Amino acid sequence: MTDFLQKTKSKIAAILYPAFKEAVLLFLLAVLVAIVFNALRPAGISLFEFSPAKTFNVQQAKIPEITLEEAHDLYLKNKVVFVDARDPFSFEEGHIAGAINIYPDEITLHLAKLKQMISPGSIVITYCDGPHCPLSHETAQGLKLQGVPAVKVLIDGWSLWQKAGYPVTEGNK
């Protein structure tokens, strides 16, 4: 009888041991993937005193903001290139006249066109809609990382510009 029990235990162990190894391997892989994705998210959970959100906020702080009056003054002097950071559908519904649409994930696609629009002494102003919209900061940071020197953010730019009655246009122009 003990021989039978011993053989049964050996068979069970032979079946369970590879499954256990595989489960541990899958668990470790899942943890690794979770840590990587957490590190890539701006609002990730702070691990080991590192917070992607804090890093992102520090980077955002490096981009200066501009007032509506300053932006409009530069517009009148042709010393500005506006970058609408909203999605293409919102851009087509209406945007600051002369603006170019660059969503944060598409900076490299439009960088050459933007650099052609920048003249010496002009600055790039990114904007989106709403006082808490992060797209203008994300786009400005991306442009800075791509070597665009003079970038500022107009907070709640689209709404402020419209309410002031400044020039706007529709479509993809």
Side-chain angles (χ1 to χ4, degrees):
M1 186 90 155
T2 56
D3 223 16
F4 174 74
L5 285 174
Q6 191 66 18
K7 287 181 182 178
T8 305
K9 284 183 184 180
S10 294
K11 286 181 183 178
I12 291 172
I15 292 170
L16 292 181
Y17 182 70
F20 178 74
K21 275 181 30 182
E22 191 172 317
V24 168
L25 181 64
L26 285 172
F27 175 76
L28 293 175
L29 184 62
V31 168
L32 178 65
V33 168
I35 289 171
V36 167
F37 276 97
N38 183 61
L40 295 175
R41 290 188 62 227
I45 300 167
S46 178
L47 300 173
F48 312 111
E49 300 303 317
F50 170 75
S51 170
K54 286 181 187 175
T55 302
F56 186 70
N57 287 337
V58 167
Q59 290 174 344
Q60 280 185 356
K62 294 177 185 174
I63 305 294
E65 295 176 358
I66 190 168
T67 66
L68 178 64
E69 292 75 26
E70 292 171 317
H72 186 251
D73 185 50
L74 290 169
Y75 177 83
L76 293 174
K77 294 176 182 176
N78 289 323
K79 297 243 179 214
V80 66
V81 176
F82 283 104
V83 174
D84 188 320
R86 299 174 302 151
D87 65 274
F89 181 74
S90 297
F91 179 80
E92 287 186 18
E93 285 186 331
H95 56 273
I96 294 174
I100 180 176
N101 183 222
I102 303 179
Y103 197 69
D105 294 341
E106 300 174 345
I107 290 171
T108 55
L109 296 174
H110 303 284
L111 191 59
K113 180 179 178 183
L114 175 65
K115 285 186 175 182
Q116 288 176 349
M117 296 173 72
I118 301 172
S119 59
S122 67
I123 67 167
V124 174
I125 298 176
T126 62
Y127 71 91
C128 57
D129 196 16
H132 304 293
C133 178
L135 299 176
S136 56
H137 279 99
E138 291 173 21
T139 301
Q141 186 61 39
L143 292 172
K144 278 292 229 187
L145 291 173
Q146 292 293 327
V148 177
V151 181
K152 293 188 178 188
V153 175
L154 178 59
I155 302 296
D156 196 17
W158 175 237
S159 293
L160 290 176
W161 193 269
Q162 272 187 301
K163 286 177 188 172
Y166 295 149
V168 298
T169 189
E170 295 177 355
N172 201 9
K173 39 182 163 156

